[in-house]
Amino acid sequence: MTSYRVTGTKFALAIAALLGAAAPLPLLAREAPSVAVGPQYDTTHVYVAPSDVDAFVAAFTATFGGASTKQGIATVTPTPSSTSTQLVQTPVGTVSLFGFRTPIPWPFGAERTGWLVTDMDEAIRQARAAGADVIVSTFPDPIGRDAVIQWPGGVIMQLYWHNTKPSYALLATVPENRVYMSADKADEFVRHFSTFAHARLLSDERNAPGIEIGRPGHHFRRIRLESTFGKLTLLVTDGHLPWPYGREMTGYEVPDLDATLAKAKAAGVEILVPPFESAGRKSAMVSFPGGYVAEVHSGS
């Protein structure tokens, strides 16, 4: 695996050269300090029916350990709505869990993650400078401020900031955002997103084994990035994906996959894809109560 470590202006130029991008991005995006806080503050957003909330929490914590914060009812969108909300914290990743009592205002439910930033206004400036579209302008929530941004290729994520600075324990392993995209937008996404996140390119495998996306005998491009926000794996495909590939948003690293799956099955989690091995990783796909699909793996 090839690793590249560069910063500042050299960072943007290196990403551009590696990925065949056109011109570097504006100076603000290249030189501004990172607004990331840490991967333990970055959550996958999971939406389930209110009747599935408790079952999801029980199954998720039985599988990965950890616990949930107390459930509350709140408006977490800039227009009227009502949802239960709680944070499910485990050693391998955190979930923001929502059980909406009302119809969900657009584009909420389409965002994949919530990322804590040090300064919301600065984060929005940097995101725009790096090529993101701010599709929901900054708005207040009960404990801070939020905004929703979209990257080239259609990747939607939420940025958030707390009135009171949170303090969470470090994760045992950092989960990976799993993003599926066409070849038409992949390089553009990596260039823009990497500039904002100050990400480093871990690997760019152009002939990754197709078994990793449910297509043995085929190949696809797999790009892995890492930043203070956490890990991101970009799966560049032709979109010919068998169920459930493309539905998962997060991959969770565990020390023993078989033992984790045994706990998951006992807790009512459905094993969608039995364990398989590829490129030094043993993986499976699972579905939690409420329909949340995840990849689970051991190995890098």
Side-chain angles (χ1 to χ4, degrees), residues 33-288:
S34 173
V35 294
V37 180
Q40 69 269 38
Y41 300 99
D42 303 325
T43 69
T44 302
H45 282 198
V46 175
Y47 290 70
V48 299
S51 58
D52 291 322
V53 166
D54 291 342
F56 173 87
V57 171
F60 200 75
T61 54
T63 299
F64 297 125
S68 174
T69 60
K70 184 179 179 181
Q71 183 183 120
I73 304 296
T75 297
V76 298
T77 61
T79 53
S81 67
S82 177
T83 183
S84 66
T85 177
Q86 58 205 102
L87 204 60
V88 188
Q89 296 171 293
T90 83
V92 300
T94 301
V95 159
S96 291
L97 181 63
F98 304 103
F100 268 80
R101 270 65 172 167
T102 60
I104 304 171
W106 177 257
F108 298 91
E111 84 287 1
R112 55 185 301 113
T113 51
W115 284 7
L116 180 66
V117 295
T118 56
D119 182 309
M120 178 60 76
D121 295 330
E122 177 63 17
I124 292 299
R125 282 193 292 270
Q126 290 190 29
R128 282 193 168 116
D133 181 12
V134 180
I135 59 175
V136 178
S137 299
T138 306
F139 64 94
D141 71 15
I143 58 174
R145 302 171 70 203
D146 305 84
V148 181
I149 62 176
Q150 183 172 19
W151 294 102
V155 179
I156 300 175
M157 59 178 55
Q158 188 160 330
L159 304 178
Y160 75 96
W161 175 86
H162 278 338
N163 296 323
T164 301
K165 185 178 179 180
S167 179
Y168 301 156
L170 294 175
L171 297 171
T173 58
V174 176
E176 62 181 20
N177 278 276
R178 292 174 60 84
V179 177
Y180 287 76
M181 193 171 292
S182 73
D184 295 339
K185 290 292 185 179
D187 287 343
E188 184 182 0
F189 167 79
V190 170
R191 184 169 73 98
H192 289 257
F193 173 80
S194 295
T195 299
F196 171 73
H198 293 242
R200 63 189 181 99
L201 180 67
L202 296 179
S203 64
D204 185 351
E205 175 55 66
R206 293 177 180 268
N207 288 289
I211 191 173
E212 297 177 16
I213 55 171
R215 297 180 64 191
H218 294 264
H219 294 87
F220 72 104
R221 184 181 179 191
R222 181 193 349 99
I223 301 170
R224 286 180 173 151
L225 305 170
E226 187 173 47
S227 72
T228 306
F229 283 115
K231 298 177 180 179
L232 186 145
T233 295
L234 183 66
L235 303 111
V236 184
T237 80
D238 58 10
H240 300 183
L241 300 169
W243 168 261
Y245 294 92
R247 294 296 181 184
E248 83 282 11
M249 294 186 293
T250 302
Y252 299 96
E253 182 181 350
V254 297
D256 186 327
L257 180 61
D258 292 334
T260 298
L261 293 181
K263 290 187 287 186
K265 289 176 68 175
V269 177
E270 183 181 0
I271 311 300
L272 301 177
V273 178
F276 64 90
E277 295 188 25
S278 177
R281 174 182 287 194
K282 186 176 182 180
S283 307
M285 299 279 279
V286 302
S287 177
F288 289 90

